[in-house]
Amino acid sequence: MAKVLFVCLGNICRSPMAEAVFRHKVAEAGLAGRIEIDSAGTGDWHTGEPPHEGTRTILRQNQIDYSGMRARQVRQSDFHEHRYIITMDASNTKNVMKWAPGSHDAEVRQLLDFIPERRGEDVPDPYYTGNFQEVYEMVDEACGLLLAYIRTKEDM
């Protein structure tokens, strides 16, 4: 089973959006039993909260389920439990690596690195910008390419 963890700052906007979008794409591909998806934040401010209303709205508009999702913080054990840890920006990557144990097999990458022309770019935080549509479009495109990457790498 390939396990994917999406990470942003508070786990209420970008990473739950990516989790829901990726779940949707995985289900459409008939791979729900082969890929497990979760999300977390580098901060603990929103632990236990559902996704931000802006995230819920854009997901509903695109008929993507987000039921049962609650914010949590990244744990050191995530590096042993997940094969892919996908961050939303460079700051998230830096903070995630603070939790990394001395040895782990998790592949840590930024989400937009899966879009060749956006490699190295950050997914802007709609908590501050309010632009949930722009973020959704980035996440949707990158998640499709991430799924293709995982399917190839995992021979699915």
Side-chain angles (χ1 to χ4, degrees), residues 2 7 12 31 47-48 55 60-61 88 90 92 100-101 103 106 108 112-115 126 138:
V7 178
I12 60 168
L31 296 170
T47 298
T55 294
R60 276 193 305 270
Q61 288 171 354
M88 299 298 125
N92 301 151
S103 100
V108 180
L112 292 186
D113 285 353
F114 292 94
I115 303 173
M138 290 176 183

Side-chain angles (χ1 to χ4, degrees), residues 16 22 66 75 120 141:
F22 197 66
Y66 57 85
R75 302 179 291 256
E141 181 181 1

